[in-house]
Amino acid sequence: MSKQQLVEMIAEKAGLTKADASRALDATMESVTEALKKGEKVSLVGFGTFATSKRPAREGRNPRTGETVKIAARTAVTFKAGSKLKDAVNK
């Protein structure tokens, strides 16, 4: 599903215009991004939890050449699905 399709679905289900639904979706994504940048968790009960985790620097291998390469430390975004989402998907 593309962002445009999601906006259309939100507009239909919430009785909003597509423009309003698009602004609401953009604001939601921006808010989640800002919270994650600050290192906060974002929990949407029943849907899931967005969080960050630190990945340390490490050495890896180039699969083509076998050469050792350094992989820099980074912060990864994780998502853990909530029980209602899991149940809905598995029905």
Side-chain angles (χ1 to χ4, degrees):
M1 174 182 283
S2 68
K3 181 179 177 185
Q4 185 58 40
Q5 291 169 323
L6 182 58
V7 166
E8 289 171 7
M9 187 178 282
I10 291 169
E12 182 181 319
K13 290 189 182 235
L16 301 171
T17 65
K18 288 181 187 176
D20 288 341
S22 180
R23 283 193 295 275
L25 180 59
D26 288 342
T28 301
M29 291 189 309
E30 186 177 315
S31 298
V32 169
T33 301
E34 287 176 11
L36 292 173
K37 279 181 169 180
K38 294 177 187 175
E40 299 172 356
K41 284 185 180 180
V42 178
S43 296
L44 304 172
V45 177
F47 183 74
T49 302
F50 294 92
T52 57
S53 65
K54 302 276 187 204
R55 300 274 170 95
R58 60 189 173 95
E59 286 189 355
R61 263 190 211 287
N62 181 329
R64 287 189 182 172
T65 63
E67 179 182 348
T68 301
V69 292
K70 290 191 177 212
I71 301 171
R74 67 185 185 100
T75 301
V77 176
T78 60
F79 176 76
K80 183 176 180 187
S83 59
K84 286 183 184 177
L85 178 60
K86 287 179 188 177
D87 292 344
V89 170
N90 287 309
K91 284 187 179 181

